[in-house]
Amino acid sequence: MILLTQQNDNRQVDLVPAIEELKREMNAVILAHYYQVDEVQDVADFIGDSLDLSRKAAETEADVIVFCGVHFMAETAKILSPHKQVLLPDLQAGCSLADSAPADEFEAFKHQYPDHLVVNYVNSSAAVKALTDYCVTSSNAVQVIQSLPEDQGIIFGPDKYLGDWVKRETGRDMILWEGSCEVHEMFSEQAILEMKQEHPDASVLVHPECPAPVRALGDVIGSTKRLLEAVRNGDPEGTYLVVTEPGIIHKMEEAAPNATFLMAPAEIAGSEEGSCTSCNTCPHMRRNTLEKLYLCMKNRTPEIHLDEEIIRKARIPIERMLKIG
Ligand code: 13P
Ligand code: SF4
């Protein structure tokens, strides 16, 4: 039981049943990303990677979408379902990768390559999506790039590491925007090598937002959903070294309760100790708590609002992506 003491009358609220009741009253659906804290994942109607969450947001019949993820994800839900109310438990839940591409700077960059198509990772703001020809997620980036004509020049943003991975996978030459995710960029190659020595049978699961030397240590490289599938289809008693945000381990443990999951450590810049196992959590994803989820449903705020013209333009690259894969 997780209780919240209300400030106005000191009454205690049992959060899980209260959230369930609000969900029925509001005809709401709760969508959660795999990086959410365990108790938020446990009350969600659907948990997924960025691609599956976009699909769910486009298809849902609910009146209200409560998005337990970060701001760009809730924006994507609003773009795909503009007539629905979209709530985000904490409006400050941003993303360093999306923030690394301010729309005005990205527009100036795009104008340097007028003949190029613009492909952007969904981890970008709605304003940047409005400047984009195709969106991608880590699940379908390779597929989307492969669907474009071979002689077509491509700008890829905002993640330089995902872009580098896609370049290697497709053999396509792309111009990369210099953005990165503060969480995935921090994983320590040295610490992972040491863990591999200690656990030689461990399967190393790596998200493609990591830099190339870390990706090179991976047995499986892919989106959160792909990494979870690797566990579902892998040795149920095996050892897995997880090189992405550790929120995903909650579902991995459900999928393989007898397996062992090791969190890959992050590097502490300038530290003698070298690495840290709690520096790899996403501070933005973890802003959402069960308490904030309850309060945002009860008060119907914070809500995502977007300019109609931005919605119209940003919808085009997302729909193109959803059509391809
Ligand atoms: P996926 O869930 O699509 O792999 O994306 C991970 C991510 O960066 C979310 O912030
Ligand atoms: Fe953004 Fe990285 Fe956090 Fe994902 S893990 S929300 S890319 S900062």
Side-chain angles (χ1 to χ4, degrees):
M1 193 185 290
I2 304 173
L3 297 172
L4 167 73
T5 306
Q6 300 205 116
Q7 279 175 349
N8 51 354
D9 57 8
N10 267 346
R11 257 187 337 117
Q12 288 206 312
V13 182
D14 185 356
L15 288 176
V16 173
I19 288 169
E20 293 295 343
E21 199 179 320
L22 281 168
K23 205 160 65 176
R24 279 191 296 277
E25 277 170 29
M26 299 162 75
N27 187 26
V29 64
I30 301 179
L31 305 183
H33 189 265
Y34 289 122
Y35 296 163
Q36 291 295 286
V37 293
D38 298 358
E39 57 273 22
V40 167
Q41 292 192 36
D42 290 343
V43 292
D45 297 295
F46 182 79
I47 308 162
D49 69 353
S50 310
L51 182 61
D52 283 345
L53 289 168
S54 312
R55 288 210 180 100
K56 279 280 164 198
E59 286 163 8
T60 182
E61 307 244 304
D63 295 322
V64 181
I65 299 172
V66 188
F67 210 111
C68 299
V70 289
H71 195 265
F72 77 81
M73 295 180 169
E75 278 188 340
T76 305
K78 184 71 184 173
I79 292 164
L80 289 168
S81 291
H83 304 300
K84 295 187 192 294
Q85 186 175 42
V86 177
L87 302 172
L88 178 66
D90 188 326
L91 211 52
Q92 303 303 314
C95 167
S96 64
L97 187 46
D99 290 349
S100 67
D104 54 344
E105 290 175 30
F106 191 83
E107 188 167 22
F109 174 71
K110 167 182 164 158
H111 285 150
Q112 290 174 40
Y113 306 97
D115 301 333
H116 284 51
L117 278 179
V118 178
V119 178
N120 266 311
Y121 196 22
V122 286
N123 298 39
S124 51
S125 67
V128 165
K129 289 188 176 81
L131 300 165
T132 299
D133 296 303
Y134 289 83
C135 279
V136 297
T137 73
S138 48
S139 279
N140 62 16
V142 168
Q143 204 183 346
V144 171
I145 295 297
Q146 281 170 337
S147 76
L148 302 177
E150 288 209 358
D151 55 353
Q152 175 63 56
I154 299 168
I155 296 174
F156 188 97
D159 188 355
K160 62 180 172 183
Y161 297 124
L162 180 75
D164 174 61
W165 177 66
V166 174
K167 268 172 88 165
R168 290 169 198 239
E169 291 293 302
T170 61
R172 298 291 294 265
D173 191 21
M174 306 190 297
I175 294 167
L176 306 182
W177 176 265
E178 274 285 315
S180 59
C181 158
E182 64 184 304
V183 178
H184 289 88
E185 187 172 49
M186 286 280 284
F187 284 108
S188 163
E189 183 194 355
Q190 187 53 38
I192 296 168
L193 277 169
E194 283 164 21
M195 288 179 84
K196 269 175 77 113
Q197 268 175 357
E198 254 177 72
H199 307 275
D201 296 331
S203 187
V204 184
L205 311 177
V206 181
H207 197 279
E209 286 176 19
C210 294
V214 170
R215 289 198 313 266
L217 303 175
D219 296 301
V220 181
I221 301 167
S223 71
T224 48
K225 179 180 172 181
R226 170 84 187 81
L227 301 183
L228 180 55
E229 275 166 4
V231 171
R232 284 205 178 110
N233 300 327
D235 180 354
E237 297 187 349
T239 299
Y240 297 89
L241 176 50
V242 180
V243 193
T244 189
E245 217 278 358
I248 184 75
I249 293 176
H250 185 49
K251 284 288 148 196
M252 288 178 171
E253 281 174 340
E254 266 180 37
N258 297 321
T260 303
F261 297 98
L262 307 170
M263 266 195 278
E267 209 156 84
I268 314 173
S271 156
E272 294 278 298
E273 286 153 44
S275 62
C276 156
T277 40
S278 49
C279 306
N280 53 11
T281 54
C282 173
H284 315 290
M285 285 281 181
R286 281 159 195 265
R287 291 188 81 101
N288 297 323
T289 60
L290 204 60
E291 180 180 334
K292 286 184 197 165
L293 170 58
Y294 164 72
L295 290 173
C296 98
M297 292 176 79
K298 181 168 168 251
N299 302 322
R300 291 204 177 222
T301 186
E303 180 178 357
I304 302 292
H305 295 283
L306 286 173
D307 179 81
E308 272 181 36
E309 188 58 7
I310 293 274
I311 291 185
R312 191 186 63 74
K313 289 184 178 161
R315 198 181 166 96
I316 298 167
I318 302 173
E319 284 185 338
R320 281 186 185 143
M321 166 186 87
L322 292 175
K323 240 185 225 161
I324 295 171

